[in-house]
Amino acid sequence: GKMVGRYPENLTDASELSVGRGRMIPTLSFEAVYNAIAQWLGIPESQLDNVLPNRHSFSTLFQVSDLFRTSNEQDVKQRA
């Protein structure tokens, strides 16, 4: 798998990302990841704002190529 976002250096309640009791504040919005998933599922660019209405509120949005290999990339790796 691939780690996206910022992994906390400290996983205790003393962490700057901790809200206590083992809960952490994410460093990325779910829109950042779901933007790529929606593209991978074939949702047209013109419809992405309907699926993810808040996606333009965030500076980081992953594209399908950031999270998924294309079939061509997989074919090249299998031949190697």
Side-chain angles (χ1 to χ4, degrees):
K2 182 177 183 179
M3 177 71 183
V4 294
R6 194 179 94 207
Y7 193 81
E9 293 177 22
N10 180 352
L11 296 174
T12 69
D13 283 348
S15 169
E16 65 182 19
L17 297 175
S18 175
V19 292
R21 297 176 45 191
R23 297 169 296 168
M24 299 298 225
I25 299 170
T27 58
L28 287 173
S29 67
F30 77 87
E31 283 91 346
V33 177
Y34 277 96
N35 189 71
I37 293 171
Q39 290 173 338
W40 180 77
L41 289 171
I43 297 176
E45 187 71 28
S46 62
Q47 296 298 313
L48 286 176
D49 288 341
N50 293 331
V51 175
L52 299 166
N54 295 320
R55 73 187 189 116
H56 292 293
S57 300
F58 303 97
S59 59
T60 301
L61 290 176
F62 292 106
Q63 302 302 308
V64 70
S65 61
D66 295 326
L67 299 183
F68 300 100
R69 291 187 196 128
T70 64
S71 59
N72 188 33
E73 287 178 86
Q74 290 172 349
D75 292 343
V76 169
K77 288 186 178 189
Q78 287 175 353
R79 283 187 235 136

